[in-house]
Amino acid sequence: MTTELFCRSCGSGDLQPILSLGMMPLTDAYVDPGAPGRSEPRYPLDLALCAECSLIQILHTVPPEEMFEDYQYFSSFSDTLLAHSCEHARRLVATRGLGPGSLVLEVASNDGYLLRYFLEAGVPVLGIDPAGGPADAAEAAGIPTLREYFGVELAERLIREGRRADVLLANNVLAHVPDLNGFVAGIAAVLGENGIAQIEVPYVKDLIENLEFDTIYHEHLCYFSVTALRPLFARHGLSLNGVEHLEVHGGSLRLTVAREEDGDGSVDAYLEAEERAGMGGYEYYSLFADRVEEVKSRLRKLLGSLREAGKRIAAYGAAAKGTILLNASGIAAPLVEYIVDRNPHKQGLLLPGVRLPIHDPSRLVEDRPDYVVILAWNIADEIMAQQGAYRRAGGRFIVPIPSPTVVENGAASSTPT
Ligand code: JHZ
């Protein structure tokens, strides 16, 4: 692990602390209950603002190989994400006039959840992803995948092979990259003359205002605003031409980037709104840590009072953010008994840190816990819709973020104080 003294984007040494979540385990390092009982490594998780370019970032970097080579996150397990990806691909094929002579390149292509829709439309694709399991699944679905990290070196090799991107996609990966400038330089290099890059990043405004503190973890090195992004792209000869807000992952931005300036006004609108909100300065972030403490304590109190009343509690979604929510809030067994998740690669393992066992979702109907905390709160609607049988049997859900809330028959019924 390395400690960062300088901004990951502009290199300034003026990093101002915003929040410390303490020593946290790696979110995707699920524990094998059969393996010898060494406790999983923990690293500091501290968030800071760059006073120069306003990029929010964590101050410690865990080597990517420690986090991504045994990665169990398969994007295709979420129907919400598949629908979002299908719509995205169709829109690009139509608006960019993509066909058999085009190339769509995706960095962090995971199990092919997005490229599969371009393949279906007859557009050649190339995925790039170092995570072995998801890359195997993509290859099995007919998606050629390079098992590598993306940066200038790989971009130059692709150019030598005559491969330039008409469309380059990079969803939920910019935040994961230690060499932010090298990554953006790679995009600038491999983009075809008239190509565009579309990049999705969780939006820091949603993180701060909706108290999504559990999306802060070691995999996510940066938390982006448009104010911080524009100079990052400009430094590498790229123009940020468009910004669109999306609901996925608790609120994200889809950025459109190209060599030529071709703005649609959205970037200026975001820059003005962020300036009005004060997102470039410390004050905007100054109450965040206290508000996070409050959410954690309300959740602990809610679960504690239910438990005292003899209720049994489980959780849904062994999401990366679930690891942080439970560990940072100090919630483990016997308060919560187990977690269910429909990803078979996670079932049978333990959630890092709190070591709660992960089971198949069918367990909820068989076991009938009184309450289920939805750790993957970003897809709470999808999960509750799937769990009709559990609900009809009297089960209730708790959505923890932005404020712990009990949901009964599809409607929020009580928020403890
Ligand atoms: P989900 C991921 O975070 C991982 P996570 C990553 N680090 C990242 O950057 C962010 O996204 C943006 C399961 N599930 O998508 C699947 C069901 O069990 O919120 C997942 O384990 N049943 C790349 O992990 C988890 O829930 C279902 O019906 O916080 C959801 O994790 C559905 C839909 C999902 O992201």
Side-chain angles (χ1 to χ4, degrees), residues 28 71 73 77-79 172 176 202 217 219-220 249 316-322 340-343 346 361 376 378-379 382-383 386:
D28 283 272
Y71 204 46
Y73 183 78
F77 284 108
S78 167
D79 297 335
N172 288 305
H176 297 65
Y217 42 83
E219 286 174 26
H220 294 166
H249 290 303
Y316 193 116
K321 62 177 85 64
V340 297
D341 192 293
R342 93 173 167 182
N343 177 350
K346 294 183 182 176
N378 50 314
I379 42 176
E382 180 178 345
I383 289 168
Q386 275 172 29

PDB file of all heavy atoms in Angstrom, residues 28 71 73 77-79 172 176 202 217 219-220 249 316-322 340-343 346 361 376 378-379 382-383 386, ligand 1:
ATOM      1  N   ASP A  28     -14.000  -6.658  -1.987  1.00  0.00           N
ATOM      2  CA  ASP A  28     -14.296  -7.844  -2.786  1.00  0.00           C
ATOM      3  C   ASP A  28     -13.441  -9.047  -2.395  1.00  0.00           C
ATOM      4  O   ASP A  28     -13.403 -10.023  -3.132  1.00  0.00           O
ATOM      5  CB  ASP A  28     -14.129  -7.518  -4.277  1.00  0.00           C
ATOM      6  CG  ASP A  28     -15.322  -6.715  -4.797  1.00  0.00           C
ATOM      7  OD1 ASP A  28     -16.310  -7.326  -5.218  1.00  0.00           O
ATOM      8  OD2 ASP A  28     -15.280  -5.471  -4.740  1.00  0.00           O
ATOM      9  N   TYR A  71     -11.509 -11.386  -8.823  1.00  0.00           N
ATOM     10  CA  TYR A  71     -12.671 -10.505  -8.689  1.00  0.00           C
ATOM     11  C   TYR A  71     -13.953 -11.293  -8.933  1.00  0.00           C
ATOM     12  O   TYR A  71     -14.086 -11.959  -9.956  1.00  0.00           O
ATOM     13  CB  TYR A  71     -12.511  -9.429  -9.771  1.00  0.00           C
ATOM     14  CG  TYR A  71     -13.222  -8.136  -9.497  1.00  0.00           C
ATOM     15  CD1 TYR A  71     -13.150  -7.525  -8.265  1.00  0.00           C
ATOM     16  CD2 TYR A  71     -13.931  -7.512 -10.507  1.00  0.00           C
ATOM     17  CE1 TYR A  71     -13.785  -6.318  -8.043  1.00  0.00           C
ATOM     18  CE2 TYR A  71     -14.565  -6.299 -10.298  1.00  0.00           C
ATOM     19  CZ  TYR A  71     -14.483  -5.714  -9.054  1.00  0.00           C
ATOM     20  OH  TYR A  71     -15.105  -4.519  -8.833  1.00  0.00           O
ATOM     21  N   TYR A  73     -17.065  -9.914  -8.990  1.00  0.00           N
ATOM     22  CA  TYR A  73     -18.192  -9.057  -9.404  1.00  0.00           C
ATOM     23  C   TYR A  73     -18.514  -9.327 -10.870  1.00  0.00           C
ATOM     24  O   TYR A  73     -17.689  -9.098 -11.747  1.00  0.00           O
ATOM     25  CB  TYR A  73     -17.833  -7.576  -9.218  1.00  0.00           C
ATOM     26  CG  TYR A  73     -18.997  -6.664  -9.572  1.00  0.00           C
ATOM     27  CD1 TYR A  73     -20.055  -6.491  -8.682  1.00  0.00           C
ATOM     28  CD2 TYR A  73     -19.050  -6.011 -10.795  1.00  0.00           C
ATOM     29  CE1 TYR A  73     -21.134  -5.675  -8.995  1.00  0.00           C
ATOM     30  CE2 TYR A  73     -20.122  -5.186 -11.114  1.00  0.00           C
ATOM     31  CZ  TYR A  73     -21.151  -5.023 -10.211  1.00  0.00           C
ATOM     32  OH  TYR A  73     -22.228  -4.216 -10.541  1.00  0.00           O
ATOM     33  N   PHE A  77     -25.352  -9.920 -13.393  1.00  0.00           N
ATOM     34  CA  PHE A  77     -26.344 -10.380 -12.419  1.00  0.00           C
ATOM     35  C   PHE A  77     -27.413  -9.338 -12.127  1.00  0.00           C
ATOM     36  O   PHE A  77     -28.372  -9.618 -11.440  1.00  0.00           O
ATOM     37  CB  PHE A  77     -25.673 -10.845 -11.120  1.00  0.00           C
ATOM     38  CG  PHE A  77     -25.025 -12.182 -11.272  1.00  0.00           C
ATOM     39  CD1 PHE A  77     -23.658 -12.319 -11.310  1.00  0.00           C
ATOM     40  CD2 PHE A  77     -25.812 -13.313 -11.433  1.00  0.00           C
ATOM     41  CE1 PHE A  77     -23.060 -13.559 -11.489  1.00  0.00           C
ATOM     42  CE2 PHE A  77     -25.234 -14.553 -11.609  1.00  0.00           C
ATOM     43  CZ  PHE A  77     -23.855 -14.679 -11.642  1.00  0.00           C
ATOM     44  N   SER A  78     -27.247  -8.123 -12.627  1.00  0.00           N
ATOM     45  CA  SER A  78     -28.273  -7.112 -12.381  1.00  0.00           C
ATOM     46  C   SER A  78     -29.079  -6.844 -13.647  1.00  0.00           C
ATOM     47  O   SER A  78     -28.535  -6.401 -14.662  1.00  0.00           O
ATOM     48  CB  SER A  78     -27.629  -5.807 -11.908  1.00  0.00           C
ATOM     49  OG  SER A  78     -28.578  -4.769 -11.951  1.00  0.00           O
ATOM     50  N   ASP A  79     -30.385  -7.126 -13.579  1.00  0.00           N
ATOM     51  CA  ASP A  79     -31.249  -6.869 -14.738  1.00  0.00           C
ATOM     52  C   ASP A  79     -31.319  -5.369 -15.017  1.00  0.00           C
ATOM     53  O   ASP A  79     -31.432  -4.943 -16.160  1.00  0.00           O
ATOM     54  CB  ASP A  79     -32.661  -7.408 -14.482  1.00  0.00           C
ATOM     55  CG  ASP A  79     -32.649  -8.916 -14.316  1.00  0.00           C
ATOM     56  OD1 ASP A  79     -31.710  -9.555 -14.844  1.00  0.00           O
ATOM     57  OD2 ASP A  79     -33.558  -9.455 -13.660  1.00  0.00           O
ATOM     58  N   ASN A 172     -17.463   2.757 -14.902  1.00  0.00           N
ATOM     59  CA  ASN A 172     -17.053   2.387 -13.549  1.00  0.00           C
ATOM     60  C   ASN A 172     -15.641   1.846 -13.494  1.00  0.00           C
ATOM     61  O   ASN A 172     -15.392   0.810 -12.880  1.00  0.00           O
ATOM     62  CB  ASN A 172     -18.035   1.376 -12.969  1.00  0.00           C
ATOM     63  CG  ASN A 172     -19.321   2.071 -12.652  1.00  0.00           C
ATOM     64  OD1 ASN A 172     -19.337   3.059 -11.917  1.00  0.00           O
ATOM     65  ND2 ASN A 172     -20.391   1.608 -13.255  1.00  0.00           N
ATOM     66  N   HIS A 176     -11.134   3.575 -10.516  1.00  0.00           N
ATOM     67  CA  HIS A 176     -10.338   2.450 -10.003  1.00  0.00           C
ATOM     68  C   HIS A 176      -8.852   2.547 -10.387  1.00  0.00           C
ATOM     69  O   HIS A 176      -8.072   1.674 -10.019  1.00  0.00           O
ATOM     70  CB  HIS A 176     -10.863   1.130 -10.579  1.00  0.00           C
ATOM     71  CG  HIS A 176     -12.273   0.804 -10.191  1.00  0.00           C
ATOM     72  ND1 HIS A 176     -13.348   1.546 -10.573  1.00  0.00           N
ATOM     73  CD2 HIS A 176     -12.778  -0.230  -9.453  1.00  0.00           C
ATOM     74  CE1 HIS A 176     -14.456   1.004 -10.094  1.00  0.00           C
ATOM     75  NE2 HIS A 176     -14.138  -0.069  -9.402  1.00  0.00           N
ATOM     76  N   PRO A 202     -19.464   7.237 -10.969  1.00  0.00           N
ATOM     77  CA  PRO A 202     -20.381   7.678  -9.913  1.00  0.00           C
ATOM     78  C   PRO A 202     -20.154   9.174  -9.658  1.00  0.00           C
ATOM     79  O   PRO A 202     -19.014   9.650  -9.716  1.00  0.00           O
ATOM     80  CB  PRO A 202     -19.963   6.834  -8.709  1.00  0.00           C
ATOM     81  CG  PRO A 202     -19.324   5.621  -9.306  1.00  0.00           C
ATOM     82  CD  PRO A 202     -18.621   6.109 -10.544  1.00  0.00           C
ATOM     83  N   TYR A 217     -14.508   3.043  -1.069  1.00  0.00           N
ATOM     84  CA  TYR A 217     -13.684   1.899  -0.681  1.00  0.00           C
ATOM     85  C   TYR A 217     -12.399   1.887  -1.487  1.00  0.00           C
ATOM     86  O   TYR A 217     -12.230   2.696  -2.399  1.00  0.00           O
ATOM     87  CB  TYR A 217     -14.441   0.567  -0.753  1.00  0.00           C
ATOM     88  CG  TYR A 217     -15.358   0.304  -1.921  1.00  0.00           C
ATOM     89  CD1 TYR A 217     -14.864  -0.171  -3.123  1.00  0.00           C
ATOM     90  CD2 TYR A 217     -16.726   0.470  -1.807  1.00  0.00           C
ATOM     91  CE1 TYR A 217     -15.717  -0.472  -4.185  1.00  0.00           C
ATOM     92  CE2 TYR A 217     -17.584   0.177  -2.866  1.00  0.00           C
ATOM     93  CZ  TYR A 217     -17.068  -0.289  -4.050  1.00  0.00           C
ATOM     94  OH  TYR A 217     -17.912  -0.585  -5.099  1.00  0.00           O
ATOM     95  N   GLU A 219     -11.106   0.207  -3.783  1.00  0.00           N
ATOM     96  CA  GLU A 219     -11.130   0.106  -5.250  1.00  0.00           C
ATOM     97  C   GLU A 219     -11.389   1.463  -5.887  1.00  0.00           C
ATOM     98  O   GLU A 219     -11.009   1.701  -7.022  1.00  0.00           O
ATOM     99  CB  GLU A 219     -12.267  -0.831  -5.689  1.00  0.00           C
ATOM    100  CG  GLU A 219     -11.985  -2.273  -5.436  1.00  0.00           C
ATOM    101  CD  GLU A 219     -13.211  -3.123  -5.753  1.00  0.00           C
ATOM    102  OE1 GLU A 219     -14.046  -2.707  -6.575  1.00  0.00           O
ATOM    103  OE2 GLU A 219     -13.331  -4.202  -5.167  1.00  0.00           O
ATOM    104  N   HIS A 220     -12.116   2.315  -5.176  1.00  0.00           N
ATOM    105  CA  HIS A 220     -12.491   3.623  -5.724  1.00  0.00           C
ATOM    106  C   HIS A 220     -11.515   4.683  -5.213  1.00  0.00           C
ATOM    107  O   HIS A 220     -11.646   5.172  -4.095  1.00  0.00           O
ATOM    108  CB  HIS A 220     -13.913   3.996  -5.301  1.00  0.00           C
ATOM    109  CG  HIS A 220     -14.946   3.099  -5.890  1.00  0.00           C
ATOM    110  ND1 HIS A 220     -16.242   3.053  -5.455  1.00  0.00           N
ATOM    111  CD2 HIS A 220     -14.868   2.205  -6.905  1.00  0.00           C
ATOM    112  CE1 HIS A 220     -16.912   2.164  -6.171  1.00  0.00           C
ATOM    113  NE2 HIS A 220     -16.107   1.631  -7.047  1.00  0.00           N
ATOM    114  N   HIS A 249     -25.966   2.934  -9.911  1.00  0.00           N
ATOM    115  CA  HIS A 249     -24.970   2.975  -8.832  1.00  0.00           C
ATOM    116  C   HIS A 249     -25.161   4.167  -7.899  1.00  0.00           C
ATOM    117  O   HIS A 249     -24.187   4.797  -7.467  1.00  0.00           O
ATOM    118  CB  HIS A 249     -23.547   2.944  -9.407  1.00  0.00           C
ATOM    119  CG  HIS A 249     -23.191   1.610 -10.010  1.00  0.00           C
ATOM    120  ND1 HIS A 249     -23.243   0.441  -9.299  1.00  0.00           N
ATOM    121  CD2 HIS A 249     -22.822   1.267 -11.265  1.00  0.00           C
ATOM    122  CE1 HIS A 249     -22.906  -0.572 -10.065  1.00  0.00           C
ATOM    123  NE2 HIS A 249     -22.652  -0.103 -11.273  1.00  0.00           N
ATOM    124  N   TYR A 316     -29.607  -8.469   2.209  1.00  0.00           N
ATOM    125  CA  TYR A 316     -29.637  -8.864   0.802  1.00  0.00           C
ATOM    126  C   TYR A 316     -28.561  -8.112   0.035  1.00  0.00           C
ATOM    127  O   TYR A 316     -28.509  -6.886   0.062  1.00  0.00           O
ATOM    128  CB  TYR A 316     -31.022  -8.571   0.190  1.00  0.00           C
ATOM    129  CG  TYR A 316     -31.182  -9.267  -1.155  1.00  0.00           C
ATOM    130  CD1 TYR A 316     -32.133 -10.265  -1.341  1.00  0.00           C
ATOM    131  CD2 TYR A 316     -30.343  -8.965  -2.208  1.00  0.00           C
ATOM    132  CE1 TYR A 316     -32.243 -10.937  -2.548  1.00  0.00           C
ATOM    133  CE2 TYR A 316     -30.427  -9.631  -3.409  1.00  0.00           C
ATOM    134  CZ  TYR A 316     -31.379 -10.609  -3.579  1.00  0.00           C
ATOM    135  OH  TYR A 316     -31.465 -11.276  -4.767  1.00  0.00           O
ATOM    136  N   GLY A 317     -27.720  -8.880  -0.708  1.00  0.00           N
ATOM    137  CA  GLY A 317     -26.714  -8.283  -1.595  1.00  0.00           C
ATOM    138  C   GLY A 317     -25.349  -8.206  -0.936  1.00  0.00           C
ATOM    139  O   GLY A 317     -25.100  -7.322  -0.127  1.00  0.00           O
ATOM    140  N   ALA A 318     -24.471  -9.163  -1.294  1.00  0.00           N
ATOM    141  CA  ALA A 318     -23.098  -9.119  -0.774  1.00  0.00           C
ATOM    142  C   ALA A 318     -22.298  -8.162  -1.661  1.00  0.00           C
ATOM    143  O   ALA A 318     -21.263  -8.516  -2.230  1.00  0.00           O
ATOM    144  CB  ALA A 318     -22.496 -10.516  -0.773  1.00  0.00           C
ATOM    145  N   ALA A 319     -22.819  -6.956  -1.769  1.00  0.00           N
ATOM    146  CA  ALA A 319     -22.207  -5.933  -2.626  1.00  0.00           C
ATOM    147  C   ALA A 319     -20.935  -5.414  -1.970  1.00  0.00           C
ATOM    148  O   ALA A 319     -20.782  -5.492  -0.751  1.00  0.00           O
ATOM    149  CB  ALA A 319     -23.201  -4.786  -2.802  1.00  0.00           C
ATOM    150  N   ALA A 320     -20.057  -4.834  -2.806  1.00  0.00           N
ATOM    151  CA  ALA A 320     -18.850  -4.210  -2.268  1.00  0.00           C
ATOM    152  C   ALA A 320     -19.249  -3.179  -1.208  1.00  0.00           C
ATOM    153  O   ALA A 320     -18.667  -3.118  -0.121  1.00  0.00           O
ATOM    154  CB  ALA A 320     -18.078  -3.544  -3.407  1.00  0.00           C
ATOM    155  N   LYS A 321     -20.284  -2.401  -1.508  1.00  0.00           N
ATOM    156  CA  LYS A 321     -20.683  -1.350  -0.565  1.00  0.00           C
ATOM    157  C   LYS A 321     -21.226  -1.932   0.738  1.00  0.00           C
ATOM    158  O   LYS A 321     -21.159  -1.288   1.777  1.00  0.00           O
ATOM    159  CB  LYS A 321     -21.700  -0.402  -1.222  1.00  0.00           C
ATOM    160  CG  LYS A 321     -22.988  -1.064  -1.645  1.00  0.00           C
ATOM    161  CD  LYS A 321     -23.963  -0.047  -2.216  1.00  0.00           C
ATOM    162  CE  LYS A 321     -23.747   0.227  -3.679  1.00  0.00           C
ATOM    163  NZ  LYS A 321     -23.973  -0.954  -4.555  1.00  0.00           N
ATOM    164  N   GLY A 322     -21.724  -3.185   0.690  1.00  0.00           N
ATOM    165  CA  GLY A 322     -22.217  -3.850   1.894  1.00  0.00           C
ATOM    166  C   GLY A 322     -21.075  -4.089   2.882  1.00  0.00           C
ATOM    167  O   GLY A 322     -21.253  -3.978   4.098  1.00  0.00           O
ATOM    168  N   VAL A 340     -27.875 -12.817   1.713  1.00  0.00           N
ATOM    169  CA  VAL A 340     -28.153 -13.620   0.511  1.00  0.00           C
ATOM    170  C   VAL A 340     -27.737 -12.823  -0.720  1.00  0.00           C
ATOM    171  O   VAL A 340     -27.768 -11.592  -0.713  1.00  0.00           O
ATOM    172  CB  VAL A 340     -29.648 -14.022   0.402  1.00  0.00           C
ATOM    173  CG1 VAL A 340     -30.045 -14.897   1.574  1.00  0.00           C
ATOM    174  CG2 VAL A 340     -30.554 -12.804   0.283  1.00  0.00           C
ATOM    175  N   ASP A 341     -27.324 -13.560  -1.763  1.00  0.00           N
ATOM    176  CA  ASP A 341     -26.874 -12.909  -2.996  1.00  0.00           C
ATOM    177  C   ASP A 341     -27.046 -13.909  -4.126  1.00  0.00           C
ATOM    178  O   ASP A 341     -26.751 -15.092  -3.962  1.00  0.00           O
ATOM    179  CB  ASP A 341     -25.397 -12.511  -2.880  1.00  0.00           C
ATOM    180  CG  ASP A 341     -24.956 -11.578  -3.998  1.00  0.00           C
ATOM    181  OD1 ASP A 341     -24.917 -12.024  -5.170  1.00  0.00           O
ATOM    182  OD2 ASP A 341     -24.667 -10.406  -3.709  1.00  0.00           O
ATOM    183  N   ARG A 342     -27.502 -13.414  -5.304  1.00  0.00           N
ATOM    184  CA  ARG A 342     -27.776 -14.397  -6.353  1.00  0.00           C
ATOM    185  C   ARG A 342     -26.552 -14.737  -7.190  1.00  0.00           C
ATOM    186  O   ARG A 342     -26.629 -15.586  -8.074  1.00  0.00           O
ATOM    187  CB  ARG A 342     -28.987 -13.951  -7.164  1.00  0.00           C
ATOM    188  CG  ARG A 342     -28.802 -13.155  -8.388  1.00  0.00           C
ATOM    189  CD  ARG A 342     -30.146 -12.990  -9.080  1.00  0.00           C
ATOM    190  NE  ARG A 342     -30.030 -11.962 -10.099  1.00  0.00           N
ATOM    191  CZ  ARG A 342     -31.007 -11.552 -10.857  1.00  0.00           C
ATOM    192  NH1 ARG A 342     -32.206 -12.055 -10.713  1.00  0.00           N
ATOM    193  NH2 ARG A 342     -30.812 -10.633 -11.768  1.00  0.00           N
ATOM    194  N   ASN A 343     -25.424 -14.107  -6.900  1.00  0.00           N
ATOM    195  CA  ASN A 343     -24.186 -14.450  -7.613  1.00  0.00           C
ATOM    196  C   ASN A 343     -23.598 -15.729  -6.994  1.00  0.00           C
ATOM    197  O   ASN A 343     -23.102 -15.714  -5.869  1.00  0.00           O
ATOM    198  CB  ASN A 343     -23.205 -13.274  -7.478  1.00  0.00           C
ATOM    199  CG  ASN A 343     -21.855 -13.563  -8.118  1.00  0.00           C
ATOM    200  OD1 ASN A 343     -21.569 -14.693  -8.497  1.00  0.00           O
ATOM    201  ND2 ASN A 343     -21.033 -12.533  -8.228  1.00  0.00           N
ATOM    202  N   LYS A 346     -20.251 -15.820  -5.117  1.00  0.00           N
ATOM    203  CA  LYS A 346     -20.114 -15.282  -3.758  1.00  0.00           C
ATOM    204  C   LYS A 346     -20.737 -16.214  -2.707  1.00  0.00           C
ATOM    205  O   LYS A 346     -20.372 -16.158  -1.534  1.00  0.00           O
ATOM    206  CB  LYS A 346     -20.780 -13.898  -3.671  1.00  0.00           C
ATOM    207  CG  LYS A 346     -20.071 -12.830  -4.523  1.00  0.00           C
ATOM    208  CD  LYS A 346     -20.723 -11.452  -4.357  1.00  0.00           C
ATOM    209  CE  LYS A 346     -20.042 -10.407  -5.249  1.00  0.00           C
ATOM    210  NZ  LYS A 346     -20.715  -9.090  -5.180  1.00  0.00           N
ATOM    211  N   PRO A 361     -30.500 -16.592  -2.403  1.00  0.00           N
ATOM    212  CA  PRO A 361     -31.693 -15.853  -1.956  1.00  0.00           C
ATOM    213  C   PRO A 361     -32.889 -16.734  -1.581  1.00  0.00           C
ATOM    214  O   PRO A 361     -33.764 -16.299  -0.817  1.00  0.00           O
ATOM    215  CB  PRO A 361     -32.027 -14.966  -3.163  1.00  0.00           C
ATOM    216  CG  PRO A 361     -30.716 -14.768  -3.852  1.00  0.00           C
ATOM    217  CD  PRO A 361     -29.965 -16.062  -3.668  1.00  0.00           C
ATOM    218  N   ALA A 376     -27.475  -3.726  -1.194  1.00  0.00           N
ATOM    219  CA  ALA A 376     -27.377  -3.177  -2.566  1.00  0.00           C
ATOM    220  C   ALA A 376     -28.563  -2.220  -2.760  1.00  0.00           C
ATOM    221  O   ALA A 376     -29.431  -2.434  -3.608  1.00  0.00           O
ATOM    222  CB  ALA A 376     -27.397  -4.311  -3.579  1.00  0.00           C
ATOM    223  N   ASN A 378     -28.898   0.507  -4.120  1.00  0.00           N
ATOM    224  CA  ASN A 378     -29.020   1.126  -5.448  1.00  0.00           C
ATOM    225  C   ASN A 378     -29.956   0.342  -6.354  1.00  0.00           C
ATOM    226  O   ASN A 378     -30.471   0.889  -7.327  1.00  0.00           O
ATOM    227  CB  ASN A 378     -27.633   1.259  -6.104  1.00  0.00           C
ATOM    228  CG  ASN A 378     -26.820  -0.030  -6.082  1.00  0.00           C
ATOM    229  OD1 ASN A 378     -26.744  -0.694  -5.055  1.00  0.00           O
ATOM    230  ND2 ASN A 378     -26.261  -0.404  -7.201  1.00  0.00           N
ATOM    231  N   ILE A 379     -30.168  -0.945  -6.068  1.00  0.00           N
ATOM    232  CA  ILE A 379     -31.094  -1.746  -6.867  1.00  0.00           C
ATOM    233  C   ILE A 379     -32.208  -2.302  -5.972  1.00  0.00           C
ATOM    234  O   ILE A 379     -32.737  -3.391  -6.212  1.00  0.00           O
ATOM    235  CB  ILE A 379     -30.358  -2.882  -7.628  1.00  0.00           C
ATOM    236  CG1 ILE A 379     -29.303  -3.540  -6.718  1.00  0.00           C
ATOM    237  CG2 ILE A 379     -29.728  -2.373  -8.912  1.00  0.00           C
ATOM    238  CD1 ILE A 379     -28.610  -4.725  -7.355  1.00  0.00           C
ATOM    239  N   GLU A 382     -35.516  -3.392  -7.705  1.00  0.00           N
ATOM    240  CA  GLU A 382     -35.392  -4.669  -8.425  1.00  0.00           C
ATOM    241  C   GLU A 382     -35.420  -5.839  -7.428  1.00  0.00           C
ATOM    242  O   GLU A 382     -36.105  -6.842  -7.636  1.00  0.00           O
ATOM    243  CB  GLU A 382     -34.078  -4.671  -9.227  1.00  0.00           C
ATOM    244  CG  GLU A 382     -33.850  -5.957 -10.009  1.00  0.00           C
ATOM    245  CD  GLU A 382     -32.567  -5.946 -10.853  1.00  0.00           C
ATOM    246  OE1 GLU A 382     -31.983  -4.861 -11.073  1.00  0.00           O
ATOM    247  OE2 GLU A 382     -32.161  -7.033 -11.295  1.00  0.00           O
ATOM    248  N   ILE A 383     -34.715  -5.699  -6.345  1.00  0.00           N
ATOM    249  CA  ILE A 383     -34.635  -6.774  -5.355  1.00  0.00           C
ATOM    250  C   ILE A 383     -36.003  -7.001  -4.692  1.00  0.00           C
ATOM    251  O   ILE A 383     -36.472  -8.134  -4.575  1.00  0.00           O
ATOM    252  CB  ILE A 383     -33.545  -6.448  -4.308  1.00  0.00           C
ATOM    253  CG1 ILE A 383     -32.165  -6.567  -4.964  1.00  0.00           C
ATOM    254  CG2 ILE A 383     -33.653  -7.358  -3.087  1.00  0.00           C
ATOM    255  CD1 ILE A 383     -31.020  -6.015  -4.150  1.00  0.00           C
ATOM    256  N   GLN A 386     -38.381  -8.791  -6.929  1.00  0.00           N
ATOM    257  CA  GLN A 386     -38.082 -10.232  -7.042  1.00  0.00           C
ATOM    258  C   GLN A 386     -38.525 -11.017  -5.816  1.00  0.00           C
ATOM    259  O   GLN A 386     -38.761 -12.209  -5.888  1.00  0.00           O
ATOM    260  CB  GLN A 386     -36.566 -10.430  -7.116  1.00  0.00           C
ATOM    261  CG  GLN A 386     -35.952 -10.319  -8.458  1.00  0.00           C
ATOM    262  CD  GLN A 386     -34.431 -10.343  -8.283  1.00  0.00           C
ATOM    263  OE1 GLN A 386     -33.900 -10.937  -7.340  1.00  0.00           O
ATOM    264  NE2 GLN A 386     -33.745  -9.685  -9.181  1.00  0.00           N
TER     265      GLN A 386
HETATM  266  P1  JHZ B   1     -23.864  -3.726  -6.911  1.00  0.00           P
HETATM  267  C1  JHZ B   1     -19.900  -2.645  -7.879  1.00  0.00           C
HETATM  268  O1  JHZ B   1     -20.159  -2.383  -6.517  1.00  0.00           O
HETATM  269  C2  JHZ B   1     -18.509  -3.128  -8.030  1.00  0.00           C
HETATM  270  P2  JHZ B   1     -21.232  -3.208  -5.691  1.00  0.00           P
HETATM  271  C3  JHZ B   1     -17.509  -2.129  -8.502  1.00  0.00           C
HETATM  272  N1  JHZ B   1     -16.417  -2.065  -7.582  1.00  0.00           N
HETATM  273  C4  JHZ B   1     -17.969  -0.743  -8.669  1.00  0.00           C
HETATM  274  O2  JHZ B   1     -17.181   0.098  -8.950  1.00  0.00           O
HETATM  275  C5  JHZ B   1     -19.364  -0.397  -8.399  1.00  0.00           C
HETATM  276  O3  JHZ B   1     -20.207  -1.505  -8.614  1.00  0.00           O
HETATM  277  C6  JHZ B   1     -19.792   0.817  -9.148  1.00  0.00           C
HETATM  278  C7  JHZ B   1     -26.279  -8.994  -6.122  1.00  0.00           C
HETATM  279  N2  JHZ B   1     -27.620  -9.107  -6.684  1.00  0.00           N
HETATM  280  O4  JHZ B   1     -24.122  -3.879  -8.351  1.00  0.00           O
HETATM  281  C8  JHZ B   1     -25.159  -8.940  -7.111  1.00  0.00           C
HETATM  282  C9  JHZ B   1     -28.466 -10.092  -6.212  1.00  0.00           C
HETATM  283  O5  JHZ B   1     -28.077 -10.883  -5.351  1.00  0.00           O
HETATM  284  O6  JHZ B   1     -24.771  -2.821  -6.188  1.00  0.00           O
HETATM  285  C10 JHZ B   1     -24.095  -8.148  -6.356  1.00  0.00           C
HETATM  286  O7  JHZ B   1     -23.364  -9.002  -5.492  1.00  0.00           O
HETATM  287  N3  JHZ B   1     -29.726 -10.161  -6.712  1.00  0.00           N
HETATM  288  C11 JHZ B   1     -17.075  -2.559  -9.851  1.00  0.00           C
HETATM  289  O8  JHZ B   1     -20.747  -4.605  -5.482  1.00  0.00           O
HETATM  290  C12 JHZ B   1     -24.907  -7.193  -5.508  1.00  0.00           C
HETATM  291  O9  JHZ B   1     -26.199  -7.778  -5.369  1.00  0.00           O
HETATM  292  C13 JHZ B   1     -30.187  -9.285  -7.633  1.00  0.00           C
HETATM  293  O10 JHZ B   1     -31.332  -9.389  -8.041  1.00  0.00           O
HETATM  294  O11 JHZ B   1     -21.545  -2.421  -4.479  1.00  0.00           O
HETATM  295  C14 JHZ B   1     -25.085  -5.856  -6.180  1.00  0.00           C
HETATM  296  O12 JHZ B   1     -23.901  -5.166  -6.206  1.00  0.00           O
HETATM  297  C15 JHZ B   1     -29.314  -8.283  -8.087  1.00  0.00           C
HETATM  298  C16 JHZ B   1     -29.785  -7.307  -9.115  1.00  0.00           C
HETATM  299  C17 JHZ B   1     -28.044  -8.212  -7.598  1.00  0.00           C
HETATM  300  O13 JHZ B   1     -22.434  -3.202  -6.766  1.00  0.00           O
END
